[in-house]
Amino acid sequence: MAARRVTTVLFDFAWTLFARDSERWVGNAAGSIDRTLAAGEAHRIAGDFAELLRETATDPAHIARDLDPRVWDRAILAVLEQIPGVGQALASAMHETHAEAIEPYADTVATLSALRDGGVRIGVVSNVGWDIRTCFARHGLDGYVDAFVLSYEAGFVKPDPRIWVAALEALHAAPGQTLMVGDHPAGDGGSVAAGIPALILPMVDSPAQKRGFEYVLRLAQVPS
C-alpha cells in the first residue's frame, strides 16, 4: 500500500523556521548600554543562550515559563543572567530587543511558499511565552500559516501530546497525513505520541544559512 501523502506540516518556531542574528542582537543590546564586546563574544553569548534554552526545554522546573508570559519574562532574564559575561544590564537589554533580531532562515520563505502552492496546510507548534506572530508578520510570513498553536495559549507544553491534538483540531488534520518538523528530539519528537511522524533537523545557528527543508517538500510531494 502506498504511503498517504502529507497534507499538513507542523513546524517548530525557534531554530526550525527562525533564528536570531546573534551579532546584531547582542551587538545592538550591548551598544545600547555602552558595553564593549570582545571579538566573537556576541556569537558565544547567543550560542550559550540557545543551548541553555534547549537544555531546559523539557525540564518540569522551567515548563511554567512557556505557559505564562509573566513567568516567561522572569525566566528568560534569569537564563540570560546565567551566561558568563552577561550581567543584569546586558541581560535586560537583550531581553527587550530579542524579538527584533529573530529572522527566518534563508530557505524558510521558499519552503512555506512551496507548501502553500502545493495545497499543504501549515501550522506552527511552539513552546513559547510570547506572541511569535509578530515575527511572522514583520517578515510577511503570517499569511502562510493556517494555525498557530502556542503553549501559553493552548495550555500544554511539548512533549505533551495534547498540544498536537490541539493542532490537529485547529487544522482539521489527520495525524497519519501530518508531519512535525523541529530541532529538539525530546520536545518536537513527542508528536509521535499523538500519531504524528516527526522530522528532527540538526541545529543551524545563523538565519543567513539554509535550514535544509528539501525532505519536507519531498514528503509533501511538492516541487522545491
Side-chain angles (χ1 to χ4, degrees):
M1 181 182 294
R4 287 184 292 176
R5 175 175 177 259
V6 170
T7 61
T8 305
V9 176
L10 307 175
F11 288 97
D12 178 44
F13 169 57
W15 299 289
T16 298
L17 289 175
F18 284 70
R20 287 183 179 86
D21 183 330
S22 60
E23 297 292 332
R24 184 162 67 89
W25 179 39
V26 184
N28 288 350
S32 71
I33 60 170
D34 296 323
R35 158 80 151 78
T36 301
L37 295 171
E41 189 176 13
H43 183 74
R44 191 267 303 167
I45 288 172
D48 286 352
F49 176 69
E51 187 58 31
L52 283 169
L53 286 188
R54 286 173 62 83
E55 288 175 358
T56 62
T58 57
D59 185 339
H62 295 275
I63 283 177
R65 76 183 182 204
D66 294 324
L67 292 172
D68 187 329
R70 295 166 297 180
V71 176
W72 189 89
D73 281 336
R74 295 193 298 269
I76 294 304
L77 276 172
V79 169
L80 287 167
E81 290 173 358
Q82 291 179 44
I83 300 171
V86 177
Q88 187 174 17
L90 181 55
S92 295
M94 290 174 64
H95 180 268
E96 291 172 1
T97 59
H98 75 95
E100 289 77 7
I102 297 175
E103 299 181 357
Y105 284 105
D107 52 348
T108 292
V109 177
T111 299
L112 296 182
S113 179
L115 290 172
R116 171 51 61 87
D117 290 347
V120 176
R121 294 186 297 274
I122 298 169
V124 173
V125 182
S126 179
N127 286 353
V128 67
W130 58 282
D131 192 353
I132 60 174
R133 296 176 184 86
T134 58
C135 293
F136 286 81
R138 183 179 300 114
H139 294 280
L141 298 179
D142 51 324
Y144 289 107
V145 181
D146 297 293
F148 287 90
V149 182
L150 311 182
S151 58
Y152 81 97
E153 294 176 335
F156 307 114
V157 175
K158 295 181 292 186
D160 188 326
R162 289 176 293 181
I163 196 167
W164 284 288
V165 172
L168 293 172
E169 291 174 351
L171 290 157
H172 307 289
Q177 293 179 281
T178 301
L179 175 69
M180 176 67 202
V181 183
D183 68 292
H184 197 284
D188 298 312
S191 67
V192 297
I196 302 170
L199 174 64
I200 306 302
L201 300 176
M203 183 77 168
V204 175
D205 290 331
S206 171
Q209 297 175 272
K210 287 189 175 182
R211 194 64 182 88
F213 291 120
E214 292 85 357
Y215 193 56
V216 176
L217 299 179
R218 195 175 308 148
L219 288 172
Q221 300 178 29
V222 299
S224 57

